[in-house]
Amino acid sequence: MSSAARVLLVSLLLVLTVAPSASAADGWSLAPSGGSRPSFYAEGAPGAVLQDTVSVINRSGRAVTVRLSGTGVPVVFADGRVRVPARTRADVPFTVSGRDDRTGTIVARDRDGRTATVPVRLRVGGPALSALTVEHVAVRGDRITYDLVNRGTTALVPRLAVHADGFFGQVLDRAPRTLPVRLPPGRRLRLTEPWPDRPALDSVDVRLTVTAAGGAHDSAGASAGFVPWGAVAGAAGTVTAGAALLLVRRRRRRKADGEALESPRTEVELTGAVM
């Protein structure tokens, strides 16, 4: 076991009465280190990194190897794979951090698939901050795409208003409405706003405005041009065909006029040849 992992092996000869633990079959268990805690509880300011230690206790007569992981909470272990000799205990430091209150578990799994878990509860204190941004606004065909980012410390349910002005005036005005999403702190979410009745021919400026409880507010925009390329291609084809027809007609006229002028000279030449 690497020294960087800082995993401590302690003889169980004197620690068989260690804290209550979650047991797996075949004589090993999992428990919070240092005392009789039934679970982990961590409290701190938003974004703070909190530290604790979990113990893998092997009461059996053979070594056991387990892998550690976390569910529901962001846990980083000093060593995610631990080999515990017979009748010893491995103490594994870990860190946990978050921006909001969470509950989850620390899970240990051995090679045979047996597992043991310990509950984890993370509580985030400090002042609540409501902050929200709208980013990467773009018009793509008949839809508007954008990102919402929660920059604060509380979960948000955002409201969205959409406005667009074209060359001849307003072309879209949607009143603020609550979006069917809940955005946790620190999360980014990509969303799409449908626009099926967009202009066929126009240059528009689109602006999205988002708000949420606690005073969160932001707006961002994008520009786009709409051109009916099918109609343009059809018109261009019509113009091209018309120009080609006109050119053919002109060439036919010139040929006919040339033949009319050359006929008398041909007769004179033939008459001269007969004489």
Side-chain angles (χ1 to χ4, degrees):
M1 190 176 305
S2 66
S3 58
R6 296 187 299 156
V7 178
L8 308 178
L9 295 180
V10 182
S11 171
L12 280 186
L13 295 177
L14 299 177
V15 294
L16 293 179
T17 58
V18 75
S21 59
S23 298
D26 206 18
W28 66 270
S29 59
L30 189 70
S33 298
S36 57
R37 296 178 294 168
S39 62
F40 290 102
Y41 177 82
E43 183 173 356
V49 178
L50 307 173
Q51 298 180 346
D52 211 319
T53 306
V54 65
S55 296
V56 182
I57 307 161
N58 183 10
R59 292 182 173 85
S60 70
R62 62 184 182 87
V64 64
T65 299
V66 301
R67 290 188 177 274
L68 298 171
S69 61
T71 63
V73 290
V75 182
V76 178
F77 297 95
D79 196 340
R81 180 179 179 275
V82 184
R83 183 180 183 276
V84 188
R87 292 178 291 276
T88 56
R89 183 187 78 205
D91 293 336
V92 185
F94 67 88
T95 60
V96 60
S97 62
R99 292 179 174 271
D100 58 351
D101 295 350
R102 294 192 182 189
T103 58
T105 57
I106 290 179
V107 182
R109 182 185 301 272
D110 66 16
R111 291 177 176 175
D112 295 324
R114 292 180 288 256
T115 62
T117 63
V118 177
V120 178
R121 183 185 176 192
L122 175 63
R123 178 167 178 78
V124 176
L129 173 64
S130 180
L132 180 68
T133 60
V134 55
E135 303 174 3
H136 302 149
V137 179
V139 180
R140 305 181 186 279
D142 60 353
R143 58 196 176 96
I144 304 168
T145 62
Y146 60 99
D147 289 357
L148 288 183
V149 187
N150 188 340
R151 303 290 184 181
T153 61
T154 61
L156 300 175
V157 177
R159 291 171 58 83
L160 173 72
V162 186
H163 186 84
D165 289 322
F167 186 79
F168 298 103
Q170 179 178 288
V171 296
L172 180 64
D173 188 23
R174 294 179 182 172
R177 75 181 194 282
T178 302
L179 298 177
V181 297
R182 184 176 184 274
L183 196 60
R187 290 289 301 277
R188 175 184 295 270
L189 186 63
R190 167 142 293 222
L191 297 173
T192 298
E193 181 75 6
W195 193 6
D197 55 346
R198 63 177 179 79
L201 177 62
D202 206 345
S203 176
V204 300
D205 293 320
V206 177
R207 179 151 295 275
L208 305 184
T209 301
V210 292
T211 58
H217 178 278
D218 192 32
S219 64
S223 299
F226 298 107
V227 179
W229 291 111
V232 171
T238 302
V239 172
T240 302
L245 180 60
L246 180 60
L247 180 60
V248 170
R249 287 179 177 176
R250 286 182 177 178
R251 287 182 177 177
R252 287 179 178 176
R253 284 182 182 177
R254 290 176 181 175
K255 183 176 180 181
D257 293 343
E259 290 177 352
L261 293 174
E262 291 175 356
S263 295
R265 290 200 298 270
T266 303
E267 293 175 359
V268 171
E269 292 174 356
L270 291 176
T271 301
V274 172
M275 291 179 63

